């Protein structure tokens, strides 16, 4: 169950590509600096920090690929996801080759709003290794980072409270029904009261309580009639 204040039914997706010719030191996890934002539904990726900040809680699919210069035989390259600055999981691994090699992979994980996601690279060549900038192979960009929220059936629970309290009135009543106009507001969560009429801001079951004291002489056999009206029609009534 998600609370309505945390729920967002919009598509959440981002794709970033292209990296600077970044040098990765031996046996050191280094964040991959993707520089070009192709799509970002919530403007959640920062080219300054190279991090994606989760805008809506849920399960996300993360896919990434990075191309690096040649590694030595038997050496390895790792691609990983970091969450909030800490290692989360590996995405992929590639071993040494005489040619440039691609490291790719994907994962699905649950994140909270505000969590940060970064793609990190590690290698053990014995010296620095260079990530290839904007490398394109067979007309496909191979330096990329994609993230999307996976949506499915979900129960949504209301998290907001609707409430109001008004008091004091100088409304004059003489022989016919008159709307009581309150002069003092104690609180009103949705500013829903106007000239004595409360406009319901959200559907639900409401408790309405009222108390009135009149100022003046009540003639013998006179009637005091208090009504709570819904859309102009008496919904509850008390005659004294």
């Amino acid at each position: 169950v998600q609370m309505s204040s945390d729920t967002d039914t919009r598509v959440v997706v981002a794709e970033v590509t292209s990296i600077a010719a970044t040098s990765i030191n031996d046996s050191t996890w280094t964040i991959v600096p993707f520089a070009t934002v192709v799509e970002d539904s919530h403007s959640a990726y920062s080219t300054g920090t190279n991090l994606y900040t989760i805008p809506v809680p849920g399960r996300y699919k993360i896919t990434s690929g990075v191309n690096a210069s040649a590694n030595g035989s038997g050496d390895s390259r790792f691609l990983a996801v970091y969450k909030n600055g800490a290692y989360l999981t590996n995405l992929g691994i590639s071993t040494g080759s005489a040619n440039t090699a691609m490291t790719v992979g994907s994962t699905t994980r649950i994140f909270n709003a505000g969590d940060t996601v970064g793609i990190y690279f590690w290698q053990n060549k014995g010296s620095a290794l260079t990530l290839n900038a904007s490398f394109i192979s067979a007309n496909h960009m191979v330096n990329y980072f994609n993230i999307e929220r996976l949506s499915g059936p979900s129960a949504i629970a209301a998290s907001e409270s609707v409430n109001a309290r008004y008091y004091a009135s100088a409304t004059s009543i003489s022989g016919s029904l008159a709307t009581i106009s309150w002069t003092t507001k104690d609180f009103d969560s949705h500013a829903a009261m106007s000239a004595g009429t409360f406009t319901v801001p959200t559907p639900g079951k409401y408790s309405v309580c009222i108390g009135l004291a009149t100022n003046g002489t009540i003639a013998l056999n006179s009637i005091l009639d208090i009504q709570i009206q819904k859309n102009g029609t008496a919904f509850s009534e008390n005659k004294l």
Side-chain angles (χ1 to χ4, degrees):
V1 175
Q2 294 189 60
M3 304 307 291
S4 61
S5 57
D6 294 328
T7 301
D8 189 334
T9 58
R10 293 176 295 169
V11 171
V12 182
V13 63
E15 178 183 4
V16 290
T17 63
S18 183
I19 57 177
T22 303
S23 179
I24 306 294
N25 291 328
D26 178 68
S27 301
T28 302
W29 284 106
T30 304
I31 194 167
V32 180
F34 297 98
T36 301
V37 178
V38 177
E39 180 182 9
D40 190 350
S41 62
H42 286 64
S43 299
Y45 182 80
S46 169
T47 55
T49 63
N50 309 124
L51 294 172
Y52 182 87
T53 301
I54 299 294
V56 179
R59 182 179 294 276
Y60 284 75
K61 180 179 180 180
I62 300 169
T63 307
S64 184
V66 172
N67 185 277
S69 58
N71 218 346
S73 176
D75 295 338
S76 300
R77 308 175 183 86
F78 288 88
L79 199 61
V81 176
Y82 269 52
K83 172 185 175 182
N84 298 329
Y87 174 88
L88 179 62
T89 185
N90 270 342
L91 284 180
I93 180 174
S94 63
T95 58
S97 171
N99 302 310
T100 56
M102 184 71 184
T103 306
V104 297
S106 65
T107 188
T108 58
R109 297 286 170 146
I110 294 176
F111 294 96
N112 295 319
D115 286 342
T116 60
V117 179
I119 303 300
Y120 279 69
F121 192 90
W122 183 95
Q123 60 87 20
N124 62 349
K125 179 181 179 181
S127 60
L129 181 70
T130 301
L131 299 182
N132 292 327
S134 302
F135 188 86
I136 299 177
S137 174
N139 297 319
H140 296 286
M141 182 71 73
V142 293
N143 290 322
Y144 62 90
F145 167 30
N146 296 340
I147 184 168
E148 61 176 320
R149 185 166 68 105
L150 305 177
S151 298
S154 180
I156 309 300
S159 57
E160 64 179 337
S161 174
V162 181
N163 50 77
R165 181 176 184 270
Y166 287 80
Y167 62 95
S169 175
T171 303
S172 178
I173 305 170
S174 178
S176 61
L177 290 168
T179 300
I180 305 299
S181 183
W182 309 100
T183 58
T184 306
K185 178 178 72 174
D186 190 3
F187 53 83
D188 189 344
S189 62
H190 287 66
M193 181 73 77
S194 176
T197 297
F198 184 85
T199 302
V200 174
T202 184
K205 183 176 290 186
Y206 287 76
S207 175
V208 182
C209 302
I210 185 171
L212 290 176
T214 58
N215 181 21
T217 301
I218 305 299
L220 184 65
N221 297 324
S222 293
I223 296 175
L224 295 179
D225 185 6
I226 300 175
Q227 291 184 2
I228 296 174
Q229 295 189 352
K230 173 184 176 182
N231 299 329
T233 301
F235 186 76
S236 180
E237 184 175 26
N238 187 14
K239 290 185 178 181
L240 302 175

